[in-house]
Amino acid sequence: FATTSKLVGSSHIMDLVAPTDQASRLVVLALHTLHTFDFYTKHQQGAHQVLKTIKESVINCLDDDDKYIRKSATVTCCKILHNSLDEKSELRKAKRVSSNTENTVLEVMERLL
């Protein structure tokens, strides 16, 4: 993982990829990839799909035994929510957001709190 030693936001990615277990490292890397990919500025449906993914998959990682996976899942959820609601996202520009999308955002936020 020598190539993952760059800065990501205010945290260093190696802080997130510290587990020695290879499976845990892969989960952390997958979560990192999910929150750094731009799903939000091109299509409203892309933002909805990634929100659905965090609701169905990433939230489960918040209860993982590995603290690095929990930390990475928390960062991923927060960054995806932030990016989805950013003024540049197509989801935010939409005149009407579906109730499914609103419910997904609320469920993720409740789980984080």
Side-chain angles (χ1 to χ4, degrees), residues 5-25:
S5 63
K6 64 180 181 170
L7 286 176
V8 178
S10 62
S11 64
H12 197 275
I13 189 152
M14 289 311 290
D15 293 339
L16 300 175
V17 189
T20 56
D21 177 347
Q22 182 65 18
S24 294
R25 292 179 78 119

Side-chain angles (χ1 to χ4, degrees), residues 61-91:
C61 294
L62 295 172
D63 296 322
D64 199 273
D65 292 336
D66 189 309
K67 68 181 180 181
Y68 298 103
I69 290 177
R70 290 193 308 270
K71 179 180 179 181
S72 187
T74 302
V75 169
T76 297
C77 288
C78 290
K79 287 191 177 207
I80 287 173
L81 285 174
H82 176 266
N83 290 340
S84 296
L85 301 174
D86 185 81
E87 69 251 2
K88 292 181 270 183
S89 82
E90 288 299 318
L91 187 63

